[in-house]
Structure formats: C-alpha cells, structure tokens
Amino acid sequence: EKLDDLKEQGYARIAIGNEPPFTAVGSDGKVSGAAPDVAREVFKRLGVEDVEASILEYGAMIPSLQAGRVDAVTAGLFMKPERCNAVAYSEPILCDAEAFLLPSGNPKGFENYADIAADETARIGAPGGGTEEKLALEAGVPRDRVIVVPDAQSGLKMLQDGRIDVYSLPVLSLNDLLSKSGDGGLEVFAPVKDAPVYCDGAAFNKDETALRDAFDVELAKMKESGEFAAIIEPYGFSAEAAKSTTREKLCAAQ
Amino acid sequence: MIRINDLSKSFGKLTVLNGLSFDVMKGEKLALIGPSGSGKTTILRILMTLENISGGRIEVCGEPLFHMHRNGQDVPADEAHLHKMRRHIGMVFQHFNLFPHKTVLQNITLAPTLTKGEKRIDAEKRARELLDMVGLADKADYMPVQLSGGQKQRVAIARALALSPEIMLFDEVTSALDPELVEEVLQVMQRLAVETDMTMLLVTHEMGFAREFADRVLFFDQGRIVEAGPPEQIFQAPQEERTRTFLRKIIASRHGM
Amino acid sequence: MIRINDLSKSFGKLTVLNGLSFDVMKGEKLALIGPSGSGKTTILRILMTLENISGGRIEVCGEPLFHMHRNGQDVPADEAHLHKMRRHIGMVFQHFNLFPHKTVLQNITLAPTLTKGEKRIDAEKRARELLDMVGLADKADYMPVQLSGGQKQRVAIARALALSPEIMLFDEVTSALDPELVEEVLQVMQRLAVETDMTMLLVTHEMGFAREFADRVLFFDQGRIVEAGPPEQIFQAPQEERTRTFLRKIIASRHGM
Amino acid sequence: MGDWAGYLTLILAGTWVTIKLTVMGCAVALVVAFIAGLGRVSRHATLRWLSTGYIEFFRGTSIFVQLFWIYYVLPLIGVSMTPMQAGVMALGLNVGAYGAEVVRGAILAVPRDQYEACIATNLTRYQRMRHVILPQALPLMLPTFGNNAIELLKATSVVSLISLADMTFQAQVVRSQTGNTIVPFVTILILYFILSSLISFGMRYLERRASRGAEGVR
Amino acid sequence: MEWDWEFTYSILPLLLQGLKITVLATILGAIVAASLGLVFALMRRSPNRLLSRTTGFFVEFIRGTPLLVQLYFIFYILPDIGLRLSPLTAGVVGMGLHYATYFSEVYRGGIEAVPRGQWEAAKATNLTIRQTWVNIILPQAIPPMIPAMANYLLAMFKETPLLSAITVMEMMSQARSIANSNYRYIEPMTLVGVFFLIVSIISVFGLRWLERRYGRQGR
Ligand SMILES: Nc1ncnc2c1ncn2[C@@H]1O[C@H](COP(=O)(O)OP(=O)(O)OP(=O)(O)O)[C@@H](O)[C@H]1O
Ligand SMILES: Nc1ncnc2c1ncn2[C@@H]1O[C@H](COP(=O)(O)OP(=O)(O)OP(=O)(O)O)[C@@H](O)[C@H]1O
Ligand SMILES: [Mg+2]
Ligand SMILES: [Mg+2]
C-alpha cells in the first residue's frame, strides 16, 4: 500500500550521497548520476512520476530511512550482512571494487588494507560509516589511524596536504575525483587486493518489503531489456557485474 | 484615620520596628524625624504596602490594611484587598520615580485612566489643573528627563494627587534636590497642607520645614518613638537627651560650628 | 600659589568657563559657592588635571600646569609633566572614590608607596597617624563597604593628605552624606584649616561652614565670578543682586519658609 | 570546472534557505523567549519551574543533540516534521532559551523604584507589566536580541546535518562537484557576513527608535 | 527501535575517550580565546584609529560568520598558503579565535564598568597609567568578568561537535562513528546528550557560585 501512497503523492523521496559518479548535482541543481537515474526510471515504471532527492551524509542515510524521512536510499550504499539486517535491499544495481588514492608511484607500496595496518605511521582516510572504514578497521588498522573524512573533496585535500597517506573509496569515485582535481601527483590504485567487489541496491525500510519486491520486478525487466546498461554504463559502471550476482549472495558474504 | 498597633517589622535577622503604636487623625500633618536608619522610611513604605509587616495590625480609614475578614476570621490580605486599600493612600518618593517613557501628562493620567476607569479627556483635564497647581502648566508634554529635579518632584506630587487619596506620604522628597530647587517643592507642599484637609505624613531632614508644616512631630530612634509632640515642644524644649543631641548635630552642621 | 589666567573650558558646544582669572595665595582658604551648573566643580577638576583646558593658562607653585617649556617655547604638557605637577595637589571627591578592593590602610598607603617609593613600614606609620587625626585609628583594616559615609569621607581625606600636597581641593565633600554624619567630616576639615598652612579650595553648599572656614569666598554664576570677598561681606552684605537672590533661596529652604 | 554562474545560483538557493530558517527561527525564538522569560518571573512556582526546566535543558545540551533528537528520534514516537520544520523548531527553541534569560534580565533591570511607583499609583499586576515595566524593559532587550539573532543565523549552518540544503551545505555540494574549495567557502563567508551585518543594522535602527523619547533612561 | 543496555555499556569507554578530547579542546580553546580576547580588547581601545578600526572590523567579521565555515577555512584552505595545522590544533585555533571576539567584549565591558571615579581617584593620588591599570582597574574589572567568561567556556564546550567536520574525534564524532558502524543511533546520541547535560548542570551550579562570589561586589 506504500506504493499506492507514493503514486498518489506523485513522487518518492530518495536519499543520495554527495559522491560522483554515484550521484551528481548539476550547476542547475538537477540531480543525476547512476544511482538516482536508475531509481527515477524504476519508480516511473512503477507509476511514481518523479523522485525528490535529498543529499545526506552516509551516516545519516539509514537513520533517515528508519525514521521514515525518505522512502529509499540509492547512494552506493554497498550491501553487507549487517546492513541487510538493518534495511531491505533490492537486487544489486551498481557494483564497484575498492580503490586507494595515493601519491604517484605508490611509494609505500600499499596494496591492501593489511599493508596499511602494518605500517605504523600510515593514516588512511575513509568516509564515516562507509564500507572502507569498516574494511580498514577489520584489517587491523587502529581507530586513531582511520581518519573519518567528511566528504570526498576533503579526503583529496587532506591527501594533498599530507594529512593522510591514502584515501580509500570505490574505484569509480576515485577516478572521478582524480580527474576533477587534475592533480598529476596522485594516482588511483585499483582494485585493492583481497577486498571483495561490492554492489549496492536500493535500500528500503525493513517493513516495506512489498515496495522493495515491486521495485525488484521492474529492475529485473530493465536489466533484461538492456535499458539498465544504457543508464549506468555512461557513468563507468558495469551492468554485467550487477547481473552476475544477487542480493542473497551479497548479504550472506562474510 | 490611621491606627498603628504593636507594629513590628524585621528584615531577616534585623528588627527595624518593634512594637510600634501610634494614631494619626484625619487631616493631621505629621512629621517623622530621627537619625538615619531609625525606621522612618520603613513606616511609610509599610503604609503604602511596599513592605509586608512582620507583626501587629494597621487600620486605615477604619479597615485593616494587611488583614481581611474571611468567615469571621482575620486572614492575611490578598492582592485584591490591598488594591482596594491603596485607593486611600498616595506616596511621593525621594527619587521621584516618574515613568521615564511617558510624558509628564501621561505620568499623571496613567493611573486614573487605568485604575479608576476615568475617561481620558477627564483625566487630562484634571491633570492639567494639577500641573497648574504645582506651577508646571507649560510642561505637560515634556519627558521626565527634560525636567530639573525640582520639577520632577512637583510632577510626582501631581501624579500622587491625581488619584485623590485621603492620605499622602512624603519620604524625604527634597533630599535628592539641589539646594536651590528645594524651595519650589516645599512651597507646593506647604500649599497642599494649608489648602486641603488631606492627612499627611512627612519624613524629612529639613527641620525648618518640619516645624512650619507639622501639627505634630514624632522623633524616632532605633524603630521607636522617643518623643512626640507639637513642633514647638520638640524643637525648642525637647524632653529627651537623645532628641537634644540629634537636633544639636543637625543644627551645628547646617550653620557652621 | 595658584594663578589662573583667562581660563576657558568648553564641553563640545557648551562653554562652561570663559575668560576666568583669579589667584590663590599660599595658605589661603578659599570657598567657591554658586548655583548648580555654574562651573565650580569644573574648576577643581581642571586644577586636579582631570579635565583639560580649552584656553588660558594656569600656574601652580610658580610652574605652568598645562604647559611646559621646550626649546624656549610653551608646548602642551605631556603626561610626565602632569605627573610631576600633581604632587602639589590633592583632591577629595563628593562620592569618596575609595578603592573598594583595598582596606582602609591600603587605600592610604597605596599612592605613597607607589608614587613616592616610600617604604611600606613608613607609609603605614604615617597612615596610622593620619587615621588617628581623622578619628578612625581603629578602622585601619576595614574594607570601605563596612564604613558609613562620613567615615569613608574621612578616609578619603586621609588618603589625599598622605601625599602631603601643598594644595587641597574639596568638592562638596559632605553632600552625599546623611545630615548626622556631616559634622564629623566638617570637624576634620576645620582642624586641617586651623592646624596646617595648606592652601585649600572648597566647593560647598553648606553656607554656614563656608563662612567659618574661608578666608575668602568667590560667588560664581555661569562660569564667571560674580562677587568675591571675605565671608562677612558676601554673606552679610552682598553687593550683587544675583548673590542676594541665591543666598535668600538657600537660606529659605534650610530654615523653613 | 563547470559553470560558475550556475553554482553560484545553487549557493544563492542555499542562502534563501538560510534566510528562511533565520527568520522563522527568530520568530519562534521570540515567542518562546517571552513566554519562558515571563514564566521565570511569574508568581506561580509551577510556571517558574517549567520555564527554568525548559531554559536549562535547551541551554545545557548542544544544539547538535537537540537537532538530532527532533529530527531522528521524535519520528520514532510519532512526531514527524519536515526538515525545515525540524530546523526551525530546534533553532527557535535553542535560541529562545537564551532569549528567555534576556527577557527576564531586562525585566529585573527595570529599577525597583518603578514597581514601587506602580504600587503607589495602585496599578494592577497586569497593568504594571503592560504599561510600565515592559515598555522600559524592551529597549534593554534589543541589543542582546540582536546578538541572539546573529547566533541563530550562524547556527543555521549546522542544519546541514539533517539534510537541509542551506548555504553551508550547498557550498559543500559545489565543492565536491567542482573540486574547488576556496571559491564556495569564501563566497559563503562573505554572504554570512552580509546577512549578519544586515541584522546588526536592523537592530541598531530598532534601538534608536525604541530609545527615542526615553533617552537617559538606561 | 528499542533501547539496548548492553550496547550502551559497550560503547561507554569510546564515548568517554571522546569526552576527553572534547574537554581538552575546550580548555585549550578557552586559553587561546582569553589571551587573544585581551589583545583584541586593548587593540580596540588603541588611540591609533587605523589599528582600532581594523581590529573592530576583523572582530565583527569573525563574530558574524559561522564557526563551522571558519573551521573549514582553517583546515582546508590555509594549507594552500603553507599553514598546515593538525586537526586538534586547527580546532583549538578556530574556536579560540572565534571566541576571542566574544571574550574581547567581556573585557571591554568589565573595564568600562569600573566607575570613572576610580580613574579619577587614581589620578588624584598621582598614580601612573601603568600603576592605575595594575593596582586599581584590573583588580576591580576582572572579578565581575569571571561569570561571563565561564559562560563562554560552557558555550565552547557545547560547540565542540563542530570539530568533527575537521576530523577531530571528539565525543560527537565518536558517537556518530559508533552509530554508523552499528546502525544504532539512539543510544550513542542520547548518551552524548546526557553527558552534555551532566557537564552543563554541574557548570550551572559552578556558575551560580562564581556569580555569588564575583558577580556583584560591594560597590
Ligand atoms: N529592604 C531592606 N532589607 C534589609 N534591611 C533594610 C531594608 N530596608 C531598610 N532596611 C534597614 O532598616 C533600617 C531602617 O531603615 P529606614 O530606611 O526605614 O531608615 P530611615 O529612618 O528612613 O533612614 P534614612 O534617614 O537614612 O532614610 C535600616 O537599618 C536599614 O538598613
Ligand atoms: N564631562 C562633561 N561633559 C559635558 N558637560 C559637562 C561635563 N562636566 C560638566 N559639564 C557641564 O558643565 C557645567 C558646569 O558643571 P559643574 O559640575 O562644574 O557645575 P557645579 O557648579 O559643580 O554644579 P553643582 O553645584 O551641581 O555641582 C554644567 O552645565 C554641566 O552640565
Ligand atoms: Mg529614609
Ligand atoms: Mg559640582
């Protein structure tokens, strides 16, 4: 019945991040990017005319969903077992591997999170509450060497200023960041060794599996028809990757 | 008119008045004199209900001031009773206490229009008469800050009179004034004393004026009446040693030693 | 001792003193009287260098007060010159201006120890003598708030005396006091006048005291000397109409009408 | 690098949100300040306690915590507000608590003499407040109210926490979309300063008007 | 969402660690603010018009713009001109600078509140300017300032969450990080609120005491 409400209302509220190319905000204020574009299209097929996107920081997304402030999160919020418990995910949409942004030539030779843990002076930047922060902590990097960076641009700046030694985000995000910065002294190391490839899905409130299921149906049709690939591939994402895995697998992965 | 019976008043541990009794008759002009801190101001403030009493009983115009009858018993007065009783009494302060954000005229008309529901036009007419009486007819639209101390005090007197109280209280009304300005205020009061039959209580350090003005003088010390009598007696033939010392000091400093 | 020549003083557009000249001899006791706002306080404040002058010239103990010689020319005095000149002068204020965070003794010893580099023990010895003189030997360790007005003013006098000035200025030193406390202060001043040969300038509204105290009285109005002379002349046979009106008003309000 | 005119428009859109938050927040704060401020000087103990509780709570906890509670926790117990409403409530209630103390202070700063003159002229409690005390207290409050309004303006920058696209938030967006840090931040610094200067000028104008005729009251 | 006590206990140590940073930042910031504030106050009193005007404008500018934006500025832009401060230092400098503008007003008010008669009495007893400041003015001006200063100290304490924007792991950042990795917001945020409230309530009593002790001196 949630879907009926949304249809009547004429729009769905979605949370997006402030991280190209998952999301992008044009100079006219219009929201685009791979995640909202897919969501917009699927909702349109479900009979919901439009989406109203609000940019949230990563940490605020799940609470907003739980508090009913948004109807879905489409922000490159990768599926992980604990998250699958907190929200109801759709089937995979955007997949990406983890990457490091670091000085050209990778002078310290960081190839995975464990390398960073091993170097006692190395500091890694990652978004608060994001997958990268978790991976770093799990790999044994102590809390005080995992710097919570408020946004990608800050991470880039901190790396340039030497405040951190490496900045970790998904591959495409870092590529976009690096190309915008035009900084020749940095490079993207991708993919990070031993780190799994993650996929996000549209996340819904745990109680609204009906809406999620309806979403899945339309998403599957789009994947089938190739329209899905047409939307996300211009942004650099691989439609194949999304099609080759399932929510079940990703949520079960350790 | 006023009957004070066994009145006591303490501020915290300090007992200022202790078992004080005296009466004031209708139309009487009473001067309270005495050294600093003897409790003169406190008596006036109590009569104006600015202070509560600690014990005893006061009657004004035949009715208890701080008590009222409820089911045959005396209970502490509530605000409504006090409000009613205050109609009988007006007070003029040492520091004038005019309302600084109102014109002279508004200062005088504010209370009559609000508390007695007088029409504005009537209140203003009466206010102008009173201003004329205190010699300030031309200052009606001034703000208080634009007046000299003596003028302010005359406005304050007019303001108190506007409510037509039967009793007027004056607390050192000239001691905040420049010496040259004292006279104009005393003149107004003298006129009031002669021309009306209001009951008046006056606290002052101006012995000369107290003598001219009062029917009876009470000399206070430490919250008690040391000596009472007509001004001739108190000033010329004081009975008590304390009174004599006090008067001698005052006179000495006023006239050189 | 003091030579004032063509002195003028304005506050913004208001000219308070205009072309005022008079001399004060060594040891002379001078009383300045006159209506409120006539500029009496201003003269004392200028002598104490609390106000700058707008024009004219003042000499104190043979030296210019607001000027100094530099390369044969008169230039405005700098702080160092003023600091030197202030040694000659002490002042007692209407509102005492004691230092509230210091004891009575410290109030008196502060300046001698700091400005004259007196030893603490000497300064305290002298302070106790002065306190004795003003009748407050037992109050040395009190804080100012613990004193009555009259006591505060006597401490203030002792403080000014501690610097042994040749000239003392008194600005209405009793008018913030309760009438009973006036006498104790005047007595101290009277003693000073008789027992020392300090030059003294006194602004007061206590005509009785002015008469006893002064060798010469200056009557001011609107920043000018209207009349000057020995007290007998000014008080008993004033030449000028303005003086007569003023004295009549003051006397009237003091003694009843 | 993109289209600066467009991104400037984005920041200006954020400015508009900031202005709306400031104006509405001030309105709420003003109302609340008077209610709680008068409550603090009330004769009724209950009113005094309620006001004190409100004031101490909102002054005691950080605006961040308050904002978070209003936005994320209240919905869990069924009170849901739009981000704008939540922002206005949090800002208004927070600054209102400070304003209440200003109201109380100004009322108490009116000399006791004035209360006594009111009693001597037999005005009722309400008449005292309405005709004598408040008219004199108001000019005393204005300067501090002006400062409070500026504090409120500055506090709007924290609403970016709850996804309101105010000026600071838009600057962040522009920053990550363009990769340029200096331009958006310097722009909003200037904009904030303009806004706060406008508030000061406005308040000074009001002060002049309020004190007209009552100079020297202090 | 239910309250989970076990979780509450488990996060307590981390939050307390955040509290330590919060308190440290507050105290260091207050020291900077108090000293810089005095400098601003004296510069504004300077007879040199250019100096006093410039200081005045600078103070107004800092006071009219949000601390958050100033922190961004110090942390992300100053390195471009070669000034790279550690997160905590940047936070302390930012807060200290911001609050120095408030402290300078407190100093100014306190100095102006010393009655004119005291300056005059000092002159009449022939004290020098320096002696007047040291022996007469400051001893009277500073005690009444103490409550106002303590108030700003408390305000600084409550603004420390802003430091999370420049990656200082103070109490609020700790809480958010905990919340983000556990998807439980209520417990950490409530605890933070409670900590703030406890510190504030203690401070309110402290302030009352300070006010009684220093606020109104026998004048
Ligand atoms: N509100 C108060 N709280 C505490 N003590 C008070 C208060 N009002 C008056 N007193 C004390 O009561 C005593 C009597 O004061 P009161 O003002 O009646 O004296 P007074 O005779 O009018 O003196 P004065 O001639 O100085 O006006 C004094 O010791 C005074 O300090
Ligand atoms: N600092 C000042 N700024 C502006 N005007 C002043 C200042 N000090 C004094 N005046 C004005 O100068 C005039 C003379 O003042 P002064 O205090 O010398 O008078 P006074 O003779 O001592 O009067 P009083 O008997 O009231 O003490 C008055 O009109 C007063 O308003
Ligand atoms: Mg009295
Ligand atoms: Mg004078």
Side-chain angles (χ1 to χ4, degrees):
Chain A
E1 82 250 40
K2 173 79 179 183
L3 183 56
D4 295 334
D5 292 347
L6 293 182
K7 275 186 195 158
E8 190 166 325
Q9 194 177 295
Y11 63 90
R13 297 163 302 163
I14 61 171
I16 61 173
N18 186 13
E19 187 181 331
F22 288 90
T23 56
V25 182
S27 60
D28 54 357
K30 191 158 165 40
V31 174
S32 61
D37 283 359
V38 172
R40 189 178 283 125
E41 185 59 30
V42 176
F43 273 116
K44 196 173 272 168
R45 285 157 185 253
L46 286 172
V48 181
E49 286 296 300
D50 201 4
V51 292
E52 185 196 88
S54 46
I55 302 177
L56 295 192
E57 60 167 316
Y58 279 94
M61 287 173 183
I62 291 178
S64 294
L65 202 56
Q66 288 167 338
R69 299 221 160 265
V70 295
D71 305 310
V73 175
T74 61
L77 205 59
F78 291 146
M79 289 186 222
K80 312 204 63 198
E82 317 85 66
R83 278 190 190 150
C84 293
N85 288 335
V87 300
Y89 269 114
S90 72
E91 289 295 337
I93 299 177
L94 303 175
C95 298
D96 202 355
E98 296 300 344
F100 289 156
L101 183 65
L102 30 67
S104 293
N106 195 355
K108 295 193 171 176
F110 296 137
E111 302 201 326
N112 59 21
Y113 292 102
D115 292 345
I116 295 165
D119 181 341
E120 287 188 357
T121 60
R123 289 140 64 89
I124 177 171
T131 318
E132 297 79 10
E133 182 189 23
K134 247 190 172 155
L135 287 172
L137 290 171
E138 278 163 9
V141 187
R143 175 76 261 186
D144 61 336
R145 291 205 274 122
V146 181
I147 309 298
V148 173
V149 172
D151 55 276
Q153 207 60 40
S154 300
L156 171 69
K157 194 72 175 50
M158 291 177 73
L159 187 65
Q160 289 169 333
D161 295 339
R163 289 189 154 116
I164 52 180
D165 302 291
V166 49
Y167 182 42
S168 180
L169 276 185
V171 181
L172 292 170
S173 306
L174 285 185
N175 283 341
D176 183 89
L177 187 62
L178 185 59
S179 75
K180 271 190 187 136
S181 78
D183 186 337
L186 301 176
E187 71 172 36
V188 174
F189 175 86
V192 173
K193 301 239 166 75
D194 311 330
V197 170
Y198 285 112
C199 297
D200 86 335
F204 298 88
N205 190 304
K206 261 196 99 55
D207 302 334
E208 280 154 14
T209 45
L211 177 61
R212 190 268 313 266
D213 294 343
F215 191 96
D216 274 347
V217 172
E218 290 303 324
L219 183 63
K221 283 189 206 156
M222 282 170 63
K223 281 182 178 168
E224 202 65 18
S225 67
E227 282 162 282
F228 178 67
I231 295 175
I232 66 167
E233 290 191 334
Y235 290 106
F237 292 97
S238 153
E240 267 322 299
K243 287 198 241 176
S244 66
T245 183
T246 63
R247 166 174 68 231
E248 209 170 342
K249 270 196 227 160
L250 289 164
C251 282
Q254 278 313 309
Chain B
M1 196 71 180
I2 302 175
R3 162 156 294 178
I4 295 179
N5 195 7
D6 197 25
L7 174 66
S8 64
K9 172 70 190 172
S10 317
F11 293 106
K13 274 177 295 186
L14 180 75
T15 300
V16 176
L17 303 175
N18 195 355
L20 185 72
S21 304
F22 66 90
D23 292 356
V24 186
M25 311 234 291
K26 185 164 165 52
E28 198 176 13
K29 317 289 180 247
L30 196 69
L32 312 184
I33 65 171
S36 192
S38 55
K40 310 177 296 294
T41 297
T42 304
I43 295 171
L44 297 201
R45 290 171 57 81
I46 286 175
L47 285 172
M48 191 66 253
T49 70
L50 297 173
E51 305 280 356
N52 226 317
I53 58 177
S54 310
R57 194 180 166 85
I58 300 178
E59 275 178 28
V60 170
C61 302
E63 275 187 88
L65 183 61
F66 286 102
H67 301 87
M68 49 187 199
H69 299 294
R70 220 9 98 76
N71 310 327
Q73 279 196 306
D74 257 18
V75 295
D78 59 11
E79 179 64 24
H81 176 83
L82 292 178
H83 191 259
K84 202 185 73 198
M85 293 303 292
R86 281 187 207 122
R87 289 202 192 155
H88 302 296
I89 310 166
M91 180 162 182
V92 183
F93 299 88
Q94 181 175 4
H95 293 283
F96 336 129
N97 299 7
L98 294 181
F99 303 132
H101 60 301
K102 305 253 176 211
T103 64
V104 165
L105 196 72
Q106 288 167 342
N107 260 281
I108 303 177
T109 57
L110 185 73
T113 48
L114 289 180
T115 64
K116 297 168 77 183
E118 278 185 24
K119 284 219 202 68
R120 184 120 98 84
I121 191 153
D122 298 338
E124 291 195 354
K125 187 159 163 288
R126 170 122 174 82
R128 285 185 199 278
E129 284 167 21
L130 287 167
L131 279 177
D132 196 32
M133 194 207 86
V134 300
L136 294 171
D138 52 334
K139 298 281 194 267
D141 297 321
Y142 281 46
M143 299 303 286
V145 277
Q146 298 173 293
L147 303 182
S148 77
Q151 294 170 333
K152 279 185 205 161
Q153 195 57 294
R154 286 183 282 155
V155 173
I157 293 174
R159 181 176 70 179
L161 292 175
L163 289 164
S164 316
E166 290 131 80
I167 302 167
M168 283 279 279
L169 311 174
F170 298 92
D171 187 16
E172 294 198 36
V173 290
T174 59
S175 65
L177 300 181
D178 284 325
E180 270 209 310
L181 306 176
V182 168
E183 196 195 353
E184 61 191 46
V185 173
L186 294 185
Q187 255 168 2
V188 166
M189 292 171 60
Q190 184 72 348
R191 242 184 93 189
L192 270 183
V194 175
E195 294 180 8
T196 71
D197 63 347
M198 259 185 282
T199 310
M200 294 179 154
L201 273 73
L202 170 86
V203 168
T204 189
H205 285 294
E206 305 279 348
M207 295 306 148
F209 182 68
R211 196 162 162 175
E212 297 279 316
F213 172 91
D215 301 327
R216 189 154 59 108
V217 177
L218 304 188
F219 175 67
F220 272 80
D221 195 16
Q222 300 183 2
R224 314 176 154 280
I225 299 174
V226 175
E227 189 164 357
E232 302 75 40
Q233 176 201 321
I234 302 284
F235 290 112
Q236 257 138 13
Q239 309 289 303
E240 301 288 329
E241 182 49 37
R242 186 72 192 85
T243 319
R244 277 196 287 271
T245 340
F246 173 76
L247 289 173
R248 205 178 317 121
K249 277 198 183 171
I250 293 263
I251 308 290
S253 74
R254 279 287 143 87
H255 300 257
M257 294 165 303
Chain C
M1 196 71 180
I2 302 176
R3 162 156 294 178
I4 295 178
N5 196 5
D6 198 24
L7 173 66
S8 63
K9 171 70 188 169
S10 317
F11 293 106
K13 274 176 297 185
L14 179 75
T15 300
V16 176
L17 303 174
N18 194 356
L20 186 71
S21 304
F22 66 90
D23 292 357
V24 186
M25 311 233 291
K26 186 164 163 55
E28 198 177 12
K29 318 289 182 246
L30 197 69
L32 312 184
I33 65 171
S36 190
S38 56
K40 309 178 297 291
T41 296
T42 305
I43 294 172
L44 297 201
R45 290 173 56 81
I46 286 174
L47 285 172
M48 192 67 252
T49 70
L50 297 175
E51 305 279 357
N52 226 316
I53 58 177
S54 310
R57 195 181 165 86
I58 300 178
E59 277 179 26
V60 169
C61 302
E63 274 189 271
L65 183 61
F66 286 102
H67 300 88
M68 50 188 199
H69 299 292
R70 215 19 93 73
N71 310 326
Q73 280 196 306
D74 258 16
V75 295
D78 59 12
E79 180 61 27
H81 176 83
L82 293 177
H83 191 260
K84 202 186 72 202
M85 292 304 291
R86 280 188 209 119
R87 289 203 192 153
H88 302 297
I89 309 166
M91 179 162 182
V92 183
F93 299 88
Q94 181 175 3
H95 293 284
F96 336 129
N97 297 1
L98 293 181
F99 303 131
H101 60 300
K102 305 254 175 208
T103 65
V104 164
L105 196 72
Q106 288 167 341
N107 260 282
I108 304 177
T109 57
L110 184 74
T113 49
L114 288 180
T115 64
K116 296 167 78 180
E118 278 185 27
K119 285 218 201 67
R120 183 120 98 84
I121 191 152
D122 298 338
E124 290 194 355
K125 185 157 163 290
R126 170 121 174 83
R128 285 185 199 280
E129 284 167 19
L130 286 168
L131 279 176
D132 197 31
M133 194 207 84
V134 299
L136 293 172
D138 53 334
K139 299 281 195 264
D141 297 321
Y142 280 46
M143 297 304 283
V145 277
Q146 299 172 292
L147 303 182
S148 75
Q151 293 169 334
K152 279 185 202 159
Q153 196 58 294
R154 285 184 280 157
V155 173
I157 293 174
R159 181 176 70 179
L161 292 175
L163 289 164
S164 318
E166 291 130 81
I167 302 167
M168 282 280 278
L169 311 174
F170 298 93
D171 186 16
E172 294 198 34
V173 289
T174 59
S175 64
L177 300 181
D178 284 323
E180 270 209 312
L181 307 176
V182 168
E183 195 196 352
E184 62 191 48
V185 174
L186 294 185
Q187 254 166 3
V188 168
M189 291 170 61
Q190 185 72 345
R191 241 184 95 189
L192 271 183
V194 175
E195 295 179 8
T196 72
D197 63 348
M198 256 185 284
T199 310
M200 294 177 150
L201 273 71
L202 171 85
V203 168
T204 188
H205 284 294
E206 306 276 348
M207 294 306 148
F209 183 69
R211 196 161 162 174
E212 297 279 317
F213 172 91
D215 302 326
R216 188 154 59 109
V217 177
L218 303 187
F219 175 67
F220 272 81
D221 194 16
Q222 299 182 2
R224 316 177 153 278
I225 299 174
V226 174
E227 189 164 358
E232 302 76 40
Q233 177 200 320
I234 300 285
F235 290 112
Q236 258 139 14
Q239 309 290 304
E240 301 289 327
E241 182 51 36
R242 185 71 193 84
T243 320
R244 277 196 287 268
T245 339
F246 173 75
L247 289 173
R248 207 178 315 123
K249 278 200 183 169
I250 293 262
I251 309 286
S253 72
R254 279 287 144 84
H255 298 257
M257 294 166 301
Chain D
M1 263 291 175
D3 163 10
W4 280 114
Y7 285 119
L8 185 63
T9 328
L10 209 57
I11 289 185
L12 288 180
T15 312
W16 178 232
V17 172
T18 295
I19 291 172
K20 278 198 290 190
L21 276 168
T22 308
V23 171
M24 293 196 285
C26 283
V28 172
L30 198 64
V31 172
V32 170
F34 270 92
I35 294 175
L38 290 171
R40 276 284 256 151
V41 295
S42 157
R43 277 176 303 148
H44 300 288
T46 355
L47 280 182
R48 280 203 307 274
W49 278 106
L50 276 177
S51 311
T52 310
Y54 155 73
I55 291 169
E56 294 302 347
F57 180 81
F58 275 87
R59 293 200 314 169
T61 53
S62 173
I63 177 124
F64 299 89
V65 183
Q66 290 155 23
L67 202 57
F68 180 85
W69 264 81
I70 290 180
Y71 194 65
Y72 291 119
V73 181
L74 284 191
L76 298 178
I77 59 166
V79 184
S80 183
M81 285 181 261
T82 66
M84 188 51 120
Q85 287 166 343
V88 167
M89 282 314 278
L91 292 168
L93 289 177
N94 184 278
V95 176
Y98 289 89
E101 287 296 277
V102 178
V103 170
R104 167 173 164 269
I107 288 175
L108 294 183
V110 174
R112 237 187 96 82
D113 287 355
Q114 292 289 311
Y115 288 88
E116 300 194 338
C118 290
I119 294 178
T121 52
N122 210 6
L123 303 187
T124 63
R125 280 178 210 279
Y126 170 77
Q127 289 168 339
R128 270 175 236 165
M129 211 28 117
R130 159 79 181 74
H131 293 280
V132 178
I133 307 303
L134 279 184
Q136 292 182 63
L138 227 43
L140 302 178
M141 298 174 197
L142 280 180
T144 326
F145 274 168
N147 288 341
N148 287 351
I150 291 177
E151 294 302 316
L152 194 145
L153 165 71
K154 291 193 292 175
T156 56
S157 67
V158 311
V159 301
S160 42
L161 264 184
I162 59 165
S163 82
L164 257 181
D166 79 310
M167 201 148 74
T168 305
F169 188 81
Q170 295 291 29
Q172 289 284 13
V173 170
V174 171
R175 177 174 174 233
S176 61
Q177 297 297 333
T178 62
N180 187 310
T181 299
I182 292 194
V183 175
F185 282 158
V186 170
T187 309
I188 62 169
L189 268 181
I190 292 170
L191 284 171
Y192 276 116
F193 186 59
I194 291 174
L195 291 181
S196 66
S197 304
L198 283 178
I199 295 176
S200 321
F201 285 133
M203 279 296 165
R204 245 170 266 157
Y205 170 77
L206 282 182
E207 270 169 55
R208 267 201 309 278
R209 280 205 42 179
S211 61
R212 190 179 299 162
E215 298 100 76
V217 178
R218 251 154 303 189
Chain E
M1 267 207 166
E2 294 285 289
W3 185 271
D4 181 345
W5 280 108
E6 209 166 303
F7 178 58
T8 308
Y9 293 131
S10 73
I11 64 177
L12 218 50
L14 272 179
L15 285 181
L16 285 175
Q17 200 177 331
L19 182 62
K20 227 168 61 190
I21 304 272
T22 292
V23 169
L24 183 70
T26 308
I27 290 173
L28 292 179
I31 291 171
V32 172
S35 353
L36 215 53
L38 185 59
V39 174
F40 285 161
L42 293 178
M43 272 161 58
R44 275 188 107 163
R45 280 181 75 95
S46 155
N48 180 339
R49 287 281 279 280
L50 184 67
L51 183 64
S52 65
R53 287 274 173 84
T54 317
T55 315
F57 179 81
F58 183 72
V59 165
E60 289 306 319
F61 188 87
I62 299 283
R63 235 150 65 110
T65 52
L67 175 55
L68 178 63
V69 184
Q70 291 162 7
L71 288 173
Y72 281 131
F73 201 88
I74 291 175
F75 194 68
Y76 295 116
I77 297 184
L78 285 191
D80 291 347
I81 57 166
L83 199 60
R84 206 196 82 184
L85 306 173
S86 79
L88 187 63
T89 316
V92 166
V93 168
M95 287 215 301
L97 185 65
H98 194 83
Y99 277 89
T101 62
Y102 292 87
F103 275 62
S104 78
E105 288 296 303
V106 175
Y107 283 113
R108 196 162 71 145
I111 291 167
E112 276 169 12
V114 176
R116 240 172 80 102
Q118 293 294 307
W119 291 92
E120 299 188 341
K123 232 184 202 182
T125 50
N126 212 5
L127 303 185
T128 64
I129 304 275
R130 212 188 69 88
Q131 288 165 342
T132 306
W133 275 105
V134 172
N135 294 286
I136 309 297
I137 305 304
L138 287 182
Q140 291 184 66
I142 287 179
M145 291 179 203
I146 289 175
M149 290 196 176
N151 239 326
Y152 283 125
L153 184 75
L154 194 55
M156 289 176 85
F157 175 70
K158 284 179 300 193
E159 282 217 281
T160 48
L162 286 180
L163 299 185
S164 66
I166 56 169
T167 77
V168 177
M169 281 308 266
E170 44 67 57
M171 183 162 55
M172 190 81 179
S173 330
Q174 282 285 12
R176 268 156 64 184
S177 153
I178 293 169
N180 288 343
S181 42
N182 295 282
Y183 310 113
R184 294 199 67 91
Y185 262 65
I186 294 196
E187 292 88 351
M189 287 305 168
T190 307
L191 279 184
V192 171
V194 168
F195 281 148
F196 272 117
L197 207 55
I198 290 174
V199 174
S200 299
I201 288 172
I202 295 173
S203 327
V204 164
F205 285 106
L207 272 176
R208 296 245 167 90
W209 182 82
L210 285 177
E211 255 161 34
R212 268 200 310 278
R213 174 90 173 65
Y214 294 112
R216 284 170 282 270
Q217 274 207 321
R219 283 253 170 82

